[in-house]
Amino acid sequence: MRPGKMIKEVLRSIIKKPATNLYPAEELAMPHNFRGKLIFHPEKCVGCKLCMKDCPTGAITINKVGEKQFQAVIDLGKCIYCAQCVDSCLKKALETTKNVELAQLDANKLKVTFSGESKTGIENKTP
C-alpha cells in the first residue's frame, strides 16, 4: 500500500463514526418481537404441557405443585429461543423478553425455576 493512500484512509477513519456498539456502556436496543429470556406466569397456566411437547430441545418442564398450581423449570442452556413454547401456550402463560444478558460460568445457574409463590408470578429462583 502506498503511504499517501494509507494517510487518506487514516484521516477518513478519524472522522467516520465507529461501526461497533458501545456495549455494555450503552444499553442495547432490541428490535420488536426479539426472542430473549423466557418468563412464566403460573397464575395463567392450566397444566396442559403443550409447551413441553412442542419444545424442540426439551428445555422446559411443567410440574404440578398444588391444586391448579404449576411451576416451570426452564433450562436456558438448552433453549434455542425459538419461542415455539410461547406460540403453543393457549393461555399465554409463557412470554419472551428482550433480555440478552444470559451468559453464565456455572451451568446450574442456567436452570431457572418459575413458581407461583410471588405476587407477580415471574420471579425466578435458581436451584
Side-chain angles (χ1 to χ4, degrees), residues 3 6 8 12 32-33 39-40 44 61-62 74 81 83 85 90 92-93 96-97 112-113:
M6 187 169 68
K8 182 180 172 185
R12 188 179 314 151
H32 179 66
N33 286 336
I39 56 173
F40 177 67
K44 295 180 181 179
T61 307
I62 302 293
I74 302 171
Y81 305 96
C85 56
L90 301 173
K92 305 294 182 209
T96 58
T97 64
V112 182
T113 302

Side-chain angles (χ1 to χ4, degrees), residues 31-48:
H32 179 66
N33 286 336
F34 179 80
R35 298 181 305 231
K37 182 179 179 181
L38 295 171
I39 56 173
F40 177 67
H41 301 282
E43 69 279 357
K44 295 180 181 179
C45 184
V46 294
C48 67

